[in-house]
Amino acid sequence: MYANLGIGMPMLASNYIEPGTTVHLQSENGILGLGPFPLQSQVDPDLINAGKETVTILPGGSFFSSDTSFAMVRSSRLDLTILGGMEVSQTGDLANWIIPGKMVKGMGGAMDLVSAANTKVVVTMDHNDKSGHPKILEKCTLPLTGVACVNRIITDKCVFDVVPGKGLLLRELAMGVSVEDVKASTGCSFDVAADVAETY
């Protein structure tokens, strides 16, 4: 499997790949073969991802130009991309690149990543913003990164699958979180899987 990890929370996924499982992690600034997030003793300031975070490289990892990296993305060579999100709609629209009126360094590669055919898109984010407002909504209020592009949402409270033509399906709960808790903190309706359970 080939996967891209966005900056921030998604980068933590590299620490949870089971031994013996082969996942080739890509960063759009031109790295294939990212390793686990570095310990303080492993930090090399010359090894950074697209978000300027320090990373590790596995044996056999490679470096290449940004145009080669985006050719990989745009030609659907990636099976999975895990991104952060500011808002996700019940139909899988994603807003994750700008809050109007706030300074932004650039839109990054998210628009390319979510529009690549056959690439599964997973969004990892806090369920609510710092003010407690839902980030999962009927319709996004922020400028969109992509339309109907998200396949799965993983938050600190639960896991939703986006079912085309139907909306959200609650698949998993975090420990100590109930379906009622999720309903109270989500800005749209959703279905609940028959086997939903606390799994993480």
Side-chain angles (χ1 to χ4, degrees):
M1 171 185 275
Y2 291 86
N4 175 282
L5 299 182
I7 60 174
M9 196 182 294
M11 270 302 295
L12 299 175
S14 63
N15 293 344
Y16 296 94
I17 298 172
E18 303 232 351
T21 302
T22 302
V23 180
H24 304 281
L25 298 176
Q26 189 251 20
S27 179
E28 63 262 32
N29 63 321
I31 303 172
L32 186 63
L34 289 170
F37 205 74
L39 301 172
Q40 190 62 39
S41 62
Q42 298 172 309
V43 170
D44 180 342
D46 291 327
L47 293 178
I48 58 171
N49 64 14
K52 310 293 187 285
E53 298 168 315
T54 55
V55 296
T56 60
I57 307 299
L58 296 177
S62 60
F63 304 94
F64 37 86
S65 63
S66 186
D67 60 329
T68 299
S69 180
F70 277 94
M72 294 168 78
V73 171
R74 293 171 183 159
S75 61
S76 300
R77 305 300 171 112
L78 301 177
D79 302 297
L80 171 70
T81 185
I82 304 177
L83 300 167
M86 296 175 190
E87 293 177 345
V88 180
S89 78
Q90 64 185 351
T91 57
D93 299 342
L94 171 64
N96 81 341
W97 74 279
I98 192 169
I99 296 174
K102 297 229 173 163
M103 175 94 122
V104 64
K105 295 178 185 175
M107 66 186 71
M111 291 181 184
D112 290 281
L113 289 161
V114 302
S115 62
N118 305 316
T119 299
K120 185 174 181 179
V121 176
V122 175
V123 173
T124 60
M125 63 182 188
D126 290 325
H127 204 92
N128 300 91
D129 66 19
K130 291 176 183 174
S131 301
H133 300 111
K135 294 172 72 172
I136 301 171
L137 307 164
E138 286 185 12
K139 188 174 181 180
C140 294
T141 62
L142 297 172
L144 294 181
T145 305
V147 175
C149 58
V150 177
N151 301 100
R152 176 166 278 190
I153 307 165
I154 302 172
T155 76
D156 52 321
K157 295 182 186 292
C158 67
V159 176
F160 284 115
D161 280 342
V162 181
V163 182
K166 293 187 177 179
L168 299 179
L169 178 64
L170 180 63
R171 304 290 295 177
E172 301 176 39
L173 295 166
M175 295 297 179
V177 176
S178 69
V179 172
E180 291 306 315
D181 293 334
V182 175
K183 285 181 179 176
S185 57
T186 304
C188 62
S189 61
F190 56 84
D191 292 327
V192 180
D195 60 348
V196 70
E198 296 180 6
T199 59
Y200 66 101

